[in-house]
Each structure stands twice: as structure tokens, then as C-alpha cells.
Amino acid sequence: MSREQARQVLERAHRVAVATHITPDADAISSLIGLTQLLRRLGREAEPFCDDDLPSRLRAIPHTEEISRVARGSFDLLVSLDASDPARLGQAFAEVEGVPLLNVDHHVTNTRFGAVNWVDPSAVATAEMVLWLVDDLGVPLDRELASILLAGIVGDTVGLRTPNVTPQVMREVIRLMEAGASLPALVDVLFNRRSFAAIRLFGQAVAGVQLEDGVIWAVITREMRHASGLGPASDLSLSSFLISAEEARIAVVFTERDDGKVEVSMRARPGYDVACIALAFGGGGHPPAAGCLVPGPLEEVIPPILSALKAAAQDGRADPFG
Ligand code: 5GP
Ligand code: MN
């Protein structure tokens, strides 16, 4: 049982480097800081790494100022969190060699790249798996740790609204709230913070939206991003908005980066699967929310991905009540 193996590996470790994925979201940072704090409460040395900038709203999570980009020094254990393949770690672990890696993740597309792999797609968030570790390792929940972990659960469930939110998840949320975490404060920080520039860019992208064969899509070019003045670590959550289109079964947003690569963010209605498409294009994710990073240019990237998504929009279950 890999949950038990993960507990044992963590119990034996003394100096742990913990890393999460690039383009970090709330679950990435929540599980990163949560596990680091858990290990420190157990008297271990633990350092958090993320090889990317953080969106400013995630700076509200305590201890994010302790995050460095690349691990250097001597460690006896590396832990990867919420990353479905090693490329998602960027260079975080590129300069440490010969140290075993524990891979903790909830993505169905995880490539099992660790020496020990604990991959549980039934978890709503990697932060939920860290909460299970808190219990397995017998660490009491305090207000700070509860708030850190609730951030990831609330983030990956879009405010406890995704179909995988079971009564068990709600009981965990209640426990975290009883330990002092504030659900409304986290919802406010995670979902109600956008810069004016982000809203203008969002509007411009929505103005160019297209719909064909059940797939709705929008494109954000480098020029649009530069004109808006937005920094690279800004996540518009545009794909989550577009999937609200009644005529769409799948939504996708293509964002051109400064290095010419294209970030592809996909969403599917229940009964449709974008994780397999993301995987086919070198990325990963969950059936309802997935992504990939592909070499540009935009005009070459868009047609093959769109046609794969149009096929997936035909395959799924057409009637959610059927
Ligand atoms: P989002 O569209 O919100 O950026 O990401 C949706 C889901 O897909 C998240 O679980 C995220 O971790 C995953 N994802 C996004 N981009 C990539 C990627 O380039 N590679 C992999 N493996 N997963 C990705
Ligand atoms: Mn996650």
C-alpha cells in the first residue's frame, strides 16, 4: 500500500527537499507548504521548492516566502507533490543527484516517476493526501496547518463544487474548519482576486471566442498579454469560465508564452475527458481539467489539438442524467 510506504519513507527521512509543479496553483502551494510544515512539526529539516513565480493571490498562504526555485545541498529524500510527470518540476531537483524521490499526486495521468509512488486519483487534491499523512503521522492539526491544507482542497474543487466532493471530503473540510481554517476567507483569496489588467485581457480573449462541434476556445497571444501589462505568473481561469457555455462540452484556452511555447488549458463537462487528450500532447491532468505545454507556433498547435478535442466532445456521455 503506497500510502503506508509514503508514511514510512517520510518517517525515516531527516533532510527533505519538497517540490511542486511549475505554473503553481493553490493545491500545488498548499500541499508544498503543508508537507513542509508537517515534516518540521515532526522535527525534520524540510525545504520547499517551486521553479516558477507564484500568482500574487497564493502569497496569502503562510510561509510562501520560504520557497526557493532550485534545491541545492544535501538531502536524504526528495518529494514531488501534485506533479504528474518530472518535467512539471522544472529545474527544482535538477541539481541533486542520487537521492530517492517520493512521488505524491492525485492526477490519473501520473507517470510514476518516483522510487516510491503514492498516486491516488480519488483524492480531490494533493493537499487532501497531505491531510491523510498528518493523521497517519499523528500530528495535531493547528489553525495554520488546517488553513494551509484547506486552501488546496478548496482550490482544486473550485470552492467544493466539483463532482468528486463526497461526504468524506465535507467531513474533512469540517475538521479543518473546526481546527480554525476559514472557508469564506480562502474562497475570497482564491477566487475573488483579479487585477484590472487581468479583467481587461479576459474581456479581450472572450471577445475572440469561437465555438465549433461542442468545443469552445479562445486564444491569448503574446501581444495581447504584453499590451495588458500582465506578468507571466497570472492565471486568468478563462477555461473554467468558457466551459459554462451551454453549447459547449469542452473548453480550451491557448496562451502564447514569451518563449514561443503555448500553454493549453482544457476543461470538460462531466462525462467528457480531457486528461487523455492532454496526455497525448505531452501534458496531463484530470478528466474534467487538464493541460499541456507544447512548442509553438500558435497556428500549428491549434488545429491538431482542436480536432482531438472535437472528437472527444463526440465520445462522451451526451445526457448527464441518462
Ligand atoms: P489548468 O488548466 O488549471 O492550468 O490545469 C488543469 C490541470 O491540468 C491541473 O491539474 C494541472 O496540474 C494540469 N496541467 C496543466 N498544464 C499541464 C502540463 O503542462 N502538464 C501536465 N502534466 N499537467 C498539466
Ligand atoms: Mn492538484
Side-chain angles (χ1 to χ4, degrees), residues 9-318:
V9 163
L10 289 167
E11 251 182 348
R12 283 190 217 118
H14 298 285
R15 294 208 62 209
V16 188
V18 187
T20 194
H21 61 80
I22 52 175
T23 61
D25 55 16
D27 187 33
I29 299 304
S30 160
S31 55
L32 176 69
I33 300 296
L35 183 64
T36 307
Q37 290 298 314
L38 162 61
L39 289 168
R40 289 187 188 166
R41 281 163 172 71
L42 288 166
R44 308 301 198 275
E45 285 180 41
E47 301 298 329
F49 299 94
C50 177
D51 189 20
D52 211 342
D53 294 329
L54 269 61
S56 58
R57 68 178 185 285
L58 297 184
R59 291 278 175 199
I61 296 176
H63 303 288
T64 47
E65 72 286 353
E66 296 167 14
I67 301 173
S68 309
R69 290 184 83 121
V70 178
R72 294 186 183 90
S74 75
F75 300 97
D76 55 13
L77 180 67
L78 309 179
V79 185
S80 168
L81 293 170
D82 202 42
S84 62
D85 62 61
R88 291 283 280 164
L89 296 176
Q91 300 299 302
F93 288 158
E95 298 190 15
V96 274
E97 278 173 13
V99 184
L101 184 129
L102 167 65
N103 170 14
V104 178
D105 185 29
H106 70 130
H107 290 94
V108 68
T109 56
N110 190 287
T111 59
R112 269 78 175 173
F113 54 92
V116 173
N117 299 285
W118 178 28
V119 178
D120 189 345
S122 81
V124 294
T126 302
E128 185 188 21
M129 300 171 74
V130 174
L131 174 63
W132 298 339
L133 285 173
V134 167
D135 293 339
D136 291 353
L137 289 162
V139 170
L141 271 179
D142 55 39
R143 182 174 176 210
E144 185 186 77
L145 189 52
S147 305
I148 290 166
L149 295 178
L150 187 56
I153 293 173
V154 168
D156 262 20
T157 59
V158 203
L160 309 178
R161 293 184 300 162
T162 50
N164 54 358
V165 175
T166 58
Q168 183 198 313
V169 174
M170 295 308 294
R171 280 191 286 273
E172 289 166 350
V173 170
I174 290 168
R175 267 186 68 208
L176 293 168
M177 292 176 76
E178 283 173 346
S182 167
L183 178 61
L186 285 169
V187 167
D188 189 46
V189 164
L190 296 180
F191 301 110
N192 298 344
R193 302 282 161 88
R194 281 190 172 97
S195 64
F196 185 63
I199 289 172
R200 302 247 324 185
L201 180 59
F202 193 103
Q204 205 188 342
V206 169
V209 74
Q210 298 186 66
L211 172 77
E212 252 171 50
D213 302 332
V215 178
I216 186 168
W217 79 93
V219 180
I220 299 174
T221 63
R222 206 177 338 201
E223 290 70 32
M224 286 162 72
R225 275 197 307 102
H226 285 183
S228 76
L230 264 192
S234 41
D235 159 32
L236 297 183
S237 302
L238 180 54
S239 55
S240 300
F241 171 72
L242 293 183
I243 196 61
S244 65
E246 282 186 343
E247 296 86 349
R249 297 182 286 277
I250 287 176
V252 54
V253 175
F254 301 93
T255 305
E256 188 184 22
R257 303 198 323 180
D258 284 347
D259 62 8
K261 290 184 183 164
V262 177
E263 276 174 21
V264 186
S265 171
M266 308 174 225
R267 295 291 182 272
R269 285 192 182 274
Y272 297 85
D273 182 357
V274 284
C276 58
I277 311 283
L279 190 63
F281 286 92
H286 313 286
C292 54
L293 180 64
V294 291
L298 271 173
E299 56 276 16
E300 280 176 30
V301 167
I302 294 176
I305 294 182
L306 270 187
S307 62
L309 290 173
K310 286 176 184 176
Q314 310 308 316
D315 289 347
R317 183 157 52 93

